[in-house]
């Protein structure tokens, strides 16, 4: 009926991350605790750490500030538009931020499509690995993040794009780096 889904949980500074992969071992999702729209373990999923060894190692290195770019096999299942938006996230370098408008322009969407771009970014199934946390408002404000604003702040601080202390919700990020 459906492809077999493997899952594991990995400890992180954001709490336990839920990772899923298909039979080909390609990572299909990374969810943080209490994530809006995040995945939850299903009865027919198989718990197995095997398919996730590289992801676990790379996530640990990322959180130790030793890894700036993930190199993992990924597989997502979105509309053509969402897939284009998610692929554009991969081009935002570590330590940099971009805006929803810049992502819209990159995927060839009109200025009117910025909300649709925001919806696609909010539906990103691969938090952290596919860096939607690097997308901010045009005015430099920290806008929503499916993993929660506190997680977004922690990730941007780790990457050096945000200096603490953070003042929610009117904080601004300085000039784009990179």
């Amino acid at each position: 009926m459906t492809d077999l889904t493997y899952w594991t949980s990995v400890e992180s500074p954001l709490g336990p991350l839920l990772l899923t992969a298909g039979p080909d071992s390609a990572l299909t999702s990374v969810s943080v605790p209490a994530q809006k729209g995040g995945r939850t373990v299903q009865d027919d999923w198989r718990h197995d750490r095997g398919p996730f060894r590289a992801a676990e190692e790379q996530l640990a290195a990322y959180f130790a500030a030793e890894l700036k770019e993930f190199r993992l096999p990924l597989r997502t299942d979105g509309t053509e538009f969402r897939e284009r938006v998610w692929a554009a996230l991969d081009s935002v370098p570590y330590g940099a931020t971009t805006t929803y408008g810049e992502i819209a322009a990159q995927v060839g969407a009109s200025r009117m499509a910025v909300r649709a771009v925001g919806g696609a970014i909010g539906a990103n199934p691969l938090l952290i690995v596919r860096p939607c946390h690097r997308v901010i408002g045009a005015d430099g404000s920290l806008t929503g993040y499916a993993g929660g604003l506190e997680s977004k702040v922690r990730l941007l601080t780790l990457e050096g794009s945000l200096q603490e202390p953070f003042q929610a919700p009117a904080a601004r990020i300085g000039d784009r780096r990179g």
Side-chain angles (χ1 to χ4, degrees):
M1 192 138 89
T2 59
D3 281 340
L4 178 63
T5 300
Y6 293 97
W7 71 275
T8 196
S9 181
V10 176
E11 286 304 317
S12 83
L14 305 179
L17 304 177
L18 173 64
L19 280 60
T20 63
D24 59 357
S25 295
L27 199 60
T28 56
S29 73
V30 176
S31 300
V32 300
Q35 175 182 328
K36 178 182 173 188
R39 296 190 83 180
T40 56
V41 176
Q42 304 298 307
D43 291 339
D44 61 342
W45 290 5
R46 183 176 299 164
H47 185 251
D48 184 350
R49 297 185 79 86
F52 304 100
R53 294 194 200 298
E56 288 183 58
E57 290 170 7
Q58 289 185 37
L59 284 163
Y62 170 80
F63 285 116
E66 298 167 353
L67 179 82
K68 296 186 185 325
E69 186 177 333
F70 291 96
R71 296 194 186 280
L72 296 166
L74 308 175
R75 183 171 42 88
T76 51
D77 183 27
T79 64
E80 187 229 334
F81 178 75
R82 284 186 172 183
E83 293 289 343
R84 284 196 339 255
V85 170
W86 296 339
L89 295 173
D90 292 335
S91 70
V92 183
Y94 183 98
T97 57
T98 191
T99 66
Y100 294 92
E102 289 171 329
I103 295 289
Q106 188 174 340
V107 301
S110 71
R111 288 185 51 84
M112 300 302 289
V114 171
R115 284 194 186 273
V117 167
I121 291 170
N124 172 24
L126 292 161
L127 270 63
I128 305 164
V129 172
R130 187 156 269 164
C132 55
H133 59 276
R134 297 178 187 155
V135 182
I136 60 171
D139 63 356
S141 62
L142 294 183
T143 54
Y145 180 60
L149 194 55
E150 182 179 323
S151 292
K152 184 171 189 163
V153 167
R154 292 188 79 170
L155 294 168
L156 291 173
T157 301
L158 168 73
E159 295 183 6
S161 2
L162 181 66
Q163 305 303 313
E164 292 200 76
F166 172 69
Q167 313 265 311
R172 309 269 174 170
I173 295 178
D175 295 331
R176 183 176 175 193
R177 298 188 208 176

